[in-house]
Structure formats: structure tokens, C-alpha cells
Amino acid sequence: MKRVMILATSICLSIVLFSGVHASAEGNTGNQPKQHMHRDHMWKELAPYKDKLHEKNRLKIQYYELKQEALLKKDTILRLHSAGAWHQNPKMQVHHQEMKKICREMKGLRHKAKAEKKNLKAAIKAKDKVKIETHFDHMLLIQKQVNQKLGERNAVLDSMIKEIKK
């Protein structure tokens, strides 16, 4: 019994010693990994542009509200749809073409937004304040255009609902 107790104690001590050596071997790097330190650096760089960040977030909220409105309108169209007869209506085909055009334009805007975001990250990394400012302005402009296109799409959906109800 004594041997088992001595063996268990020696195992516990070796674990404690190993973890202590391992912790001191890591050094004093802190609790945060490098990834979080990078994020802190990014937020420090973006601090002067907090008004633009708030504006971008407000536009993004508006974007999601418009998307929700479009979903509700699509649900209404689905409920009003009756046996596919509305596809032969020439006005519906015109509305469908308008929707396709708007979707193509929005796809181009999404690609522009993606490129601007990439350029903004590069400007932040380079700490170029002029480029950061211009990229923020471009991102805000693109988001406003996207919201405008969603508003147009919602107007087309409204006209489709009116046509179906006739």
C-alpha cells in the first residue's frame, strides 16, 4: 500500500513540475495569442474613423431590414401564386426581367465591395490614413448603392403583388 501511495505522489509531483517548467518555458507572452494582438492593433488604427464605422453599421442594418421586407413580399407572392398561370402574363415577364437586371447590378456591387474591403485591410496594414479614408468613403458609397438596389427590387416585388392580385 505504501508503494502505491509513493508512486501516486511521485506521479503528481512530476506532473506539477512538468507543468511549471512548461509554463516558464513559454515565457511571459501573456494570455492573448498573436491573433488577438493583431485585432487590437486594427481597432487602434480604426479608432479615428469610428463615425464612418457607425455609418457603415447603420447602412448594414438598413440592408438587412430591406432584405427582410423582400422576403416577406416573396412570401406574399408565393401565397398568391395560383397554378403557374401568372407566368404567361406579359407584365410578369417584364417584372422578371427587371429583377434579373437588378440582381446582375447587385452582383457587380458585391464584387466592388469585396475589393474595397480587401484594399481597406491593406491600407490599414500599411497605416496609410489617406487611403483608409478613401476606402471607407468608397465602401459607404457602395453600401448606399446596394441599399438603393434593394429598394428598387422591393418596388418591383410590390408591382408583382399588385399584378397577381388583379
Side-chain angles (χ1 to χ4, degrees), residues 53-75:
L53 284 170
H54 290 307
E55 176 71 15
K56 185 176 182 328
N57 289 339
R58 188 188 60 75
L59 288 171
K60 203 65 168 170
I61 290 169
Q62 182 183 7
Y63 168 81
Y64 285 117
E65 288 171 352
L66 289 168
K67 291 281 279 188
Q68 182 182 14
E69 186 180 328
L71 273 172
L72 294 173
K73 289 177 182 182
K74 286 180 182 181
D75 187 48

Side-chain angles (χ1 to χ4, degrees), residues 40-54 129 132 136:
D40 290 343
H41 169 71
M42 180 187 71
W43 288 115
K44 286 177 186 175
E45 290 293 323
L46 292 176
Y49 309 104
K50 68 180 178 182
D51 293 335
K52 292 192 184 232
L53 284 170
H54 290 307
K129 294 184 186 289
I132 292 172
F136 263 124

Side-chain angles (χ1 to χ4, degrees), residues 3 14 22 52 74 81 88 90 125-127 130-131 151:
R3 288 182 186 173
S14 63
H22 180 66
K52 292 192 184 232
K74 286 180 182 181
H81 183 270
Q88 282 74 30
K125 195 172 186 178
K127 298 180 182 180
V130 175
K131 285 186 179 180

Side-chain angles (χ1 to χ4, degrees), residues 2-59:
K2 274 185 168 178
R3 288 182 186 173
V4 173
M5 291 297 284
I6 292 173
L7 183 62
T9 307
S10 64
I11 289 174
C12 289
L13 284 175
S14 63
I15 290 173
V16 169
L17 287 175
F18 176 72
S19 64
V21 170
H22 180 66
S24 65
E26 283 182 0
N28 260 345
T29 58
N31 293 337
Q32 293 180 340
K34 284 188 173 190
Q35 167 180 17
H36 294 293
M37 289 172 30
H38 171 70
R39 286 186 194 144
D40 290 343
H41 169 71
M42 180 187 71
W43 288 115
K44 286 177 186 175
E45 290 293 323
L46 292 176
Y49 309 104
K50 68 180 178 182
D51 293 335
K52 292 192 184 232
L53 284 170
H54 290 307
E55 176 71 15
K56 185 176 182 328
N57 289 339
R58 188 188 60 75
L59 288 171

